[in-house]
Amino acid sequence: MSEKASVLLVGAGGVGAIAALNLDTGGQADVTAVLRSSYEKVVNEGLHIKSIDHGEIQGWRPSNVLNKIPSRTEKEFDYVVLATKNIADHHPTPAELIEPAVVPGKTVIVLIQNGLNIEKPFLSKFPDNICLSGVSMIGSHETSPAFIEHEDSDRLIVGAFKNPNFSKGKQEQVAQEFVKIYGAGGKTVCTFTDNVLYDRWQKLVYNACLNTICAVTGLDTGRMRLADDAVSTLVRPAMNEIVTAAYACGIELPEDIVQRMIDVDPLTIYFKPSMLEDVQRGNLTEFENLLGEPLREGTARGVAMPTATFFYHTLKAMQWKFKEQKGLIDIPPKTA
Amino acid sequence: MSEKASVLLVGAGGVGAIAALNLDTGGQADVTAVLRSSYEKVVNEGLHIKSIDHGEIQGWRPSNVLNKIPSRTEKEFDYVVLATKNIADHHPTPAELIEPAVVPGKTVIVLIQNGLNIEKPFLSKFPDNICLSGVSMIGSHETSPAFIEHEDSDRLIVGAFKNPNFSKGKQEQVAQEFVKIYGAGGKTVCTFTDNVLYDRWQKLVYNACLNTICAVTGLDTGRMRLADDAVSTLVRPAMNEIVTAAYACGIELPEDIVQRMIDVDPLTIYFKPSMLEDVQRGNLTEFENLLGEPLREGTARGVAMPTATFFYHTLKAMQWKFKEQKGLIDIPPKTA
């Protein structure tokens, strides 16, 4: 295949910008990026990237930069790669967002996003398109608009979500094709998996528990480990519930997964997980996909998940607050 | 009794300032107030009080104003009235704080503070002193140093905590004496109770639940009622647990107490309970007496209290964070 694949990449934050750079570096993809907050800056000055994989790059741009999702009538993309946050309880949902660009029967949708059941709205809206899972282990942040600090190497695990309208073989072939394009530059580790749920549940042991509990309590992961019995009373019980839910869903996680996820961030970097950052900025959180979905899958199978349930309802109340603060919810005026 | 009672009043925030004013207005007490943050301002300018009971008063001072607890060798007070917050897990504890001023066998200790088991450290430290309970239903706030906004009438319920070294009759007589002194000005409703635990548990239905859940989620009581299912999933279960714990401790609360406490603040004033204000200011919270003690009393009697347990551990982690932020806890230095 000498012709480059056309990729529409949506969201160039910490994850998306490095994904764009990886795809570009490999030389097998022509990347069009859709940006929101950093659009003007990237058009005028390009991205400034400090990357453990790519070195320091100033003024870099994807082949094309847009500020809205283009229509399929303008250009038919081979891939739409979504690297935005996934706020399931807010419109437009990610599936609604990319709808204009998806060519039925052609465009491959790649979700480099966290959480469980994120593919369901896509499979439902785009039954004739293959949908791939990307689980990213990257440590990369947009510390200011168009400035990306990429501190921990990009490792992307790609597989196919199960679309019943395609054969397993066909979907896996498409996933492996994307792995080849993504890893072609040799600067990153992109691997294929035939079990996307395994990788998603594994990451949920961190994201449904440590990420959410840091967000609610306001502690980073280092302080969480130092704070008296916070790990034993909150984090470990929540993680055990997620491991049991995974098992009930047919995913047997490694025996040491709980301790490994508790210790995964070096203590003294005092790492703030994404949801804690969102909460501190008053942003909507991904709590539905990171916690709500594993909670629903587990409880539907009879798993007792009291800790996860409490944090879910707490984060739901916080999400309401953030929506109200953003003017997305109207409340009666204040009286004296 | 023509001679005035000598009262050392500790803490002149929203509750304490109005208590000082009430005692002064009645003419039966000579009030010495111990202030911390507002000391200079009160000495120089006096208090500025806007009170629903007393009207607007500028430049008012108690008879004496001190900036530290005086020693019993300087003056023997008849009463030490504590109207500070009660942070049980931080030194000096309230009992440690007033220790220099307490005359064994003489000083009556009055705790106008919330929560359960607050008398225990006092009975243990001062076995020869009578200790009174004051449950305050006041709506009063120190909105800036030495400026008090008192918007909801002062109603104080006074009784005696059980000190086994005194007869019930003696202790109740002392409580009724204080009721007379406090209510003598006629501007406030001060009543005697022979069942202080009843009033404390009743108030805990609000303070152990709505107050704590507002603090964790960041919602005020009005928004809590508007926020989807926050009341049904968080507030009501927590309140039911507290009511059951009270019952296990021999206190049968009114049947409608849960709904009454949910609705107690008018919705559209969007009232921020004290612990929410503390959390937003990064202050230590009274979570041990407001939630920890009722939780321990209930669970010790076999009451299942999962919601209260969850919020307790969450607030404990948050308390650790506030202590660390205030430099009360040292942590290893941050590494790159």
Side-chain angles (χ1 to χ4, degrees):
Chain A
M1 188 179 72
S2 61
E3 205 183 323
K4 286 186 183 180
S6 62
V7 174
L8 183 70
L9 190 138
V10 183
V15 175
I18 301 301
L21 186 53
N22 273 331
L23 287 162
D24 188 73
T25 303
Q28 299 190 11
D30 185 66
V31 180
T32 298
V34 180
L35 311 179
R36 283 184 305 174
S37 54
S38 61
Y39 173 74
E40 291 286 344
K41 201 159 169 98
V42 173
V43 166
N44 293 327
E45 303 169 31
L47 284 152
H48 183 175
I49 298 173
K50 277 189 184 174
S51 166
I52 189 168
D53 293 340
H54 299 270
E56 183 160 359
I57 304 175
Q58 267 184 299
W60 181 78
R61 284 181 199 84
S63 302
N64 299 290
V65 178
L66 304 175
N67 63 358
K68 66 186 266 283
I69 302 288
S71 164
R72 68 184 76 87
T73 58
E74 296 166 44
K75 176 165 182 177
E76 295 198 351
F77 284 95
D78 298 317
Y79 296 90
V80 172
V81 177
L82 253 170
T84 60
K85 282 200 188 290
N86 191 325
I87 312 291
D89 57 324
H90 178 57
H91 293 283
T93 63
E96 289 165 353
L97 180 72
I98 65 165
E99 201 278 331
V102 175
V103 183
K106 174 176 180 180
T107 312
V108 173
I109 298 163
V110 186
L111 306 181
I112 307 183
Q113 297 179 312
N114 288 317
L116 205 63
N117 293 339
I118 59 171
E119 75 281 16
K120 290 199 170 170
F122 293 89
L123 297 183
S124 156
K125 205 183 228 349
F126 311 113
D128 300 324
N129 294 71
I130 286 173
C131 189
L132 303 183
S133 161
V135 173
S136 170
M137 303 295 179
I138 200 169
S140 179
H141 298 270
E142 187 177 24
T143 52
S144 62
F147 182 67
I148 308 292
E149 284 205 75
H150 176 206
E151 295 164 321
D152 194 15
S153 285
D154 186 14
R155 287 147 294 151
L156 188 69
I157 303 170
V158 173
F161 289 117
K162 269 187 205 151
N163 182 334
N165 298 324
F166 294 89
S167 71
K168 189 168 188 277
K170 170 66 182 167
Q171 295 179 81
E172 296 197 340
Q173 179 207 320
V174 168
Q176 281 173 320
E177 182 83 9
F178 185 78
V179 167
K180 195 166 65 69
I181 296 171
Y182 194 89
K187 304 263 181 151
T188 188
V189 178
C190 185
T191 53
F192 168 78
T193 177
D194 63 357
N195 189 353
V196 300
L197 283 179
Y198 181 88
D199 299 292
R200 293 204 163 264
W201 275 104
Q202 179 155 271
K203 203 169 172 195
L204 282 172
V205 177
Y206 182 97
N207 270 331
C209 307
L210 206 44
N211 199 355
T212 59
I213 299 173
C214 286
V216 170
T217 60
L219 294 165
D220 54 57
T221 60
R223 287 178 171 83
M224 185 69 74
R225 284 154 68 184
L226 294 170
D228 298 337
D229 53 4
V231 167
S232 65
T233 61
L234 298 172
V235 178
R236 199 179 293 278
M239 286 185 171
N240 285 333
E241 292 169 15
I242 293 295
V243 170
T244 309
Y247 189 78
C249 294
I251 304 294
E252 196 168 349
L253 295 174
E255 271 198 26
D256 65 344
I257 187 70
V258 166
Q259 195 59 49
R260 191 142 50 84
M261 286 300 179
I262 290 170
D263 297 333
V264 73
D265 301 322
L267 190 145
T268 55
I269 68 168
Y270 299 115
F271 181 74
K272 283 187 189 180
S274 59
M275 204 184 287
L276 171 57
E277 291 210 323
D278 284 334
V279 162
Q280 289 184 337
R281 292 171 182 171
N283 289 338
L284 301 184
T285 73
E286 300 183 293
F287 84 106
E288 282 292 2
N289 290 320
L290 296 193
L291 181 55
E293 289 298 330
L295 175 61
R296 284 184 277 272
E297 294 292 339
T299 51
R301 287 165 181 80
V303 179
M305 304 180 75
T307 318
T309 300
F310 291 126
F311 279 110
Y312 172 74
H313 290 303
T314 298
L315 284 162
K316 191 174 176 188
M318 293 169 73
Q319 187 87 330
W320 185 94
K321 175 184 69 177
F322 296 133
K323 286 182 179 175
E324 196 270 321
Q325 286 171 351
K326 286 177 181 294
L328 302 170
I329 291 171
D330 287 329
I331 63 171
K334 185 174 169 140
T335 49
Chain B
M1 188 180 73
S2 62
E3 206 182 324
K4 286 185 182 181
S6 60
V7 175
L8 183 70
L9 191 137
V10 183
V15 175
I18 301 300
L21 186 54
N22 273 330
L23 288 161
D24 188 74
T25 302
Q28 299 189 11
D30 186 66
V31 180
T32 298
V34 180
L35 311 178
R36 283 183 306 176
S37 54
S38 59
Y39 173 74
E40 292 286 344
K41 198 158 169 99
V42 173
V43 165
N44 293 327
E45 303 169 32
L47 285 153
H48 183 176
I49 298 173
K50 277 188 186 175
S51 166
I52 190 168
D53 294 341
H54 298 271
E56 183 158 359
I57 303 174
Q58 266 184 301
W60 181 79
R61 284 181 199 83
S63 302
N64 298 290
V65 178
L66 304 175
N67 64 357
K68 67 185 265 284
I69 303 287
S71 164
R72 67 184 79 87
T73 59
E74 296 167 44
K75 177 163 182 176
E76 296 199 350
F77 285 95
D78 299 317
Y79 297 89
V80 172
V81 178
L82 255 170
T84 59
K85 283 200 188 290
N86 191 325
I87 312 292
D89 57 323
H90 177 58
H91 295 283
T93 64
E96 290 165 353
L97 180 73
I98 66 164
E99 201 279 330
V102 175
V103 184
K106 175 179 179 179
T107 311
V108 174
I109 297 162
V110 186
L111 306 181
I112 308 183
Q113 297 180 312
N114 288 318
L116 204 64
N117 294 338
I118 59 170
E119 75 280 16
K120 290 198 169 170
F122 293 89
L123 297 182
S124 156
K125 204 182 226 355
F126 313 112
D128 301 324
N129 294 73
I130 287 172
C131 190
L132 304 184
S133 160
V135 173
S136 171
M137 303 294 177
I138 201 169
S140 178
H141 297 270
E142 187 177 25
T143 51
S144 63
F147 183 67
I148 309 292
E149 285 203 74
H150 175 207
E151 295 164 323
D152 194 15
S153 285
D154 186 15
R155 287 147 295 153
L156 187 68
I157 303 169
V158 173
F161 288 118
K162 269 188 205 151
N163 182 335
N165 298 325
F166 294 89
S167 70
K168 187 168 187 274
K170 172 66 181 166
Q171 295 179 83
E172 295 198 340
Q173 180 206 319
V174 168
Q176 280 172 322
E177 183 82 9
F178 186 79
V179 167
K180 196 163 66 65
I181 296 171
Y182 194 89
K187 304 262 180 152
T188 187
V189 178
C190 185
T191 53
F192 169 78
T193 178
D194 63 357
N195 190 353
V196 301
L197 283 180
Y198 180 87
D199 299 293
R200 291 202 165 267
W201 275 104
Q202 179 155 274
K203 203 167 171 195
L204 283 172
V205 177
Y206 182 96
N207 269 331
C209 308
L210 206 44
N211 200 355
T212 58
I213 299 171
C214 285
V216 170
T217 59
L219 293 165
D220 54 56
T221 60
R223 286 179 172 83
M224 186 68 75
R225 285 153 69 186
L226 294 171
D228 297 337
D229 53 4
V231 167
S232 65
T233 61
L234 300 172
V235 178
R236 199 179 292 278
M239 287 186 171
N240 285 333
E241 291 169 16
I242 293 295
V243 169
T244 308
Y247 188 78
C249 294
I251 305 293
E252 196 169 347
L253 295 174
E255 271 197 26
D256 65 343
I257 188 70
V258 167
Q259 194 59 49
R260 190 140 53 83
M261 287 300 179
I262 290 169
D263 297 333
V264 73
D265 301 322
L267 189 145
T268 54
I269 68 169
Y270 299 114
F271 181 74
K272 282 187 189 179
S274 59
M275 203 185 289
L276 173 56
E277 290 211 322
D278 284 334
V279 163
Q280 289 184 337
R281 291 171 183 171
N283 289 338
L284 300 183
T285 73
E286 300 183 294
F287 84 106
E288 281 292 2
N289 289 320
L290 297 192
L291 181 54
E293 289 298 331
L295 174 62
R296 284 184 278 271
E297 294 292 340
T299 50
R301 287 164 180 82
V303 178
M305 304 181 73
T307 320
T309 300
F310 162 77
F311 280 110
Y312 173 75
H313 290 303
T314 298
L315 284 161
K316 191 174 177 190
M318 291 168 75
Q319 188 87 329
W320 186 94
K321 176 184 68 176
F322 297 133
K323 287 182 178 175
E324 196 268 323
Q325 286 171 352
K326 287 176 181 295
L328 301 170
I329 291 172
D330 287 329
I331 63 171
K334 185 173 168 140
T335 49

